[in-house]
Amino acid sequence: MALFTAPPLLKPTSLLVNLSSPISRPLSIRCHGPSTSSSYSSMPGACYSRARRAGTVCVRAVENSSNATSTDITAERVRMKQELLSKLEETDGGITPEGMEIIGELQKLNPNPELRQVPELVNGCYQVVRSTFKGRAAADAGVFASMFTLGRASFGMFKPLKQDVIIEEGYNHVGQSYDNEYTLAFEISVKNREGESSEFLRGYLVNKGKYSFEPDSEKMMVRFLSSELRPVEGMKEEELRSWKQLFQEENPSMDERGWMSAELPGSDGYLFHLYLDDELRIHQGNFNNVFVMQRLPGPAIPA
């Protein structure tokens, strides 16, 4: 089969980029050898995401090679990944035109354009670093620096539809719990209207589906089948009461734990991988939003 060529990136000016001020919790970049420990993989999602905010985005150092050409290409990939992550530090949830230009250059150096040949790289757990995906701009409002309505975030399955939601962190679990799994999991927070113990209530919004490949193409098709909204584990009793007061009346599927679930009528989407290796994934979806994601050693949100 001929090598797949992904569609050209849209010009940066046509994307929903964010040119706002530098983030208050910058990412740091460090090089290291292959990890021999995954101690943070067992951390609950909320704890891990907070560690990530104060922590690192990692790029592995170039390994020695007897092939000079291969070494040069590998070194260029590493250099460009480091440059991209440095540019992403300068944004608050978005990707600048300069960042998009680097992504375009990385796309040309994509070491794995044929996804069917590398299922071990397609499958995995990923965390959003930055994206052009936007809602209503809001300072320091999660990984996307935006407010979203609950209706938009949950395919209209949970109410109040117009409830403001901050997506604190975004994760993608691929092929982990079942064959061809494609799960989008968000750590969210909503304004606490009732209780006084905390200003925000924290929870998880999990959209589960399956992926497949279009025949004779590297286009990844995704169909979302179910959605789940639930409070974080270990939520205080007072906060859980507030959570139930906010959601229970309009969501009859809620159980005693405060969990809600809904079957989706088959919400379809697709994406193209622009770059994929064992550390970084960059893809462009059917609404032309670009996502830069780092690979994790395991699921960040408990099942």
Side-chain angles (χ1 to χ4, degrees):
M1 184 176 67
L3 287 177
F4 168 75
T5 301
L9 281 171
L10 298 179
K11 293 181 180 179
T13 52
S14 67
L15 291 169
L16 300 176
V17 296
N18 180 6
L19 301 176
S20 56
S21 59
I23 58 175
S24 58
R25 48 179 190 280
L27 303 171
S28 60
I29 304 171
R30 61 188 173 94
C31 294
H32 59 82
S35 174
T36 57
S37 171
S38 58
S39 59
Y40 58 87
S41 66
S42 61
M43 297 173 65
C47 295
Y48 171 70
S49 63
R50 283 193 289 272
R52 175 259 187 184
R53 289 184 182 196
T56 59
V57 175
C58 303
V59 175
R60 188 171 301 155
V62 182
E63 297 178 357
N64 292 329
S65 170
S66 59
N67 187 322
T69 301
S70 175
T71 300
D72 290 344
I73 293 174
T74 301
E76 181 66 4
R77 288 193 190 108
V78 171
R79 184 193 68 78
M80 295 189 70
K81 287 196 291 184
Q82 291 175 326
E83 184 178 356
L84 174 62
L85 295 174
S86 294
K87 289 294 182 183
L88 296 183
E89 286 189 45
E90 301 169 5
T91 72
D92 187 8
I95 304 176
T96 64
E98 292 80 6
M100 291 301 303
E101 289 178 4
I102 298 170
I103 289 173
E105 293 302 312
L106 268 174
Q107 182 182 358
K108 299 174 186 177
L109 298 176
N110 182 11
N112 299 292
E114 296 188 65
L115 300 181
R116 291 176 178 83
Q117 304 301 316
V118 287
E120 72 282 2
L121 295 181
V122 172
N123 293 334
C125 299
Y126 302 89
Q127 181 171 14
V128 176
V129 178
R130 292 288 188 271
S131 173
T132 61
F133 181 60
K134 286 294 162 190
R136 190 174 74 253
D140 198 32
V143 67
F144 300 113
S146 299
M147 299 285 285
F148 298 88
T149 63
L150 180 58
R152 181 182 177 187
S154 68
F155 299 101
M157 301 309 296
F158 300 118
K159 300 177 181 179
L161 294 175
K162 295 184 178 180
Q163 170 67 47
D164 281 335
V165 171
I166 295 175
I167 298 178
E168 301 288 355
E169 301 290 348
Y171 306 97
N172 186 196
H173 299 162
V174 183
Q176 298 301 292
S177 300
Y178 50 88
D179 288 344
N180 290 5
E181 174 199 7
Y182 193 92
T183 295
L184 290 180
F186 302 116
E187 182 186 337
I188 66 167
S189 62
V190 296
K191 187 76 173 179
N192 187 356
R193 298 178 181 176
E194 306 292 339
E196 299 180 355
S197 62
S198 87
E199 183 180 1
F200 289 94
L201 303 172
R202 305 181 75 86
Y204 300 126
L205 176 62
V206 182
N207 297 316
K208 297 181 179 181
K210 300 191 76 172
Y211 77 85
S212 61
F213 290 108
E214 195 172 75
D216 300 319
S217 170
E218 300 301 321
K219 184 178 184 179
M220 178 183 279
M221 308 298 298
V222 179
R223 167 162 286 194
F224 290 102
L225 302 172
S226 66
S227 189
E228 182 178 275
L229 179 62
R230 52 187 165 95
V232 295
E233 293 183 341
M235 179 177 276
K236 296 178 182 178
E237 185 175 340
E238 180 182 343
E239 292 175 346
L240 183 57
R241 283 198 301 268
S242 296
W243 176 275
K244 290 181 177 180
Q245 288 172 352
L246 176 60
F247 293 116
Q248 192 163 33
E249 183 176 351
E250 297 190 66
N251 297 280
S253 69
M254 179 183 283
D255 62 20
E256 69 280 358
R257 302 169 298 170
W259 290 40
M260 295 153 273
S261 61
E263 298 299 313
L264 296 174
S267 297
D268 296 333
Y270 64 83
L271 57 94
F272 290 100
H273 286 66
L274 306 178
Y275 184 89
L276 178 67
D277 65 17
D278 61 350
E279 298 172 329
L280 202 66
R281 188 185 90 187
I282 305 173
H283 73 260
Q284 186 172 24
N286 49 296
F287 290 107
N288 292 326
N289 284 307
V290 173
F291 292 80
V292 178
M293 310 188 81
Q294 67 174 20
R295 186 181 298 273
L296 303 178
I301 289 182

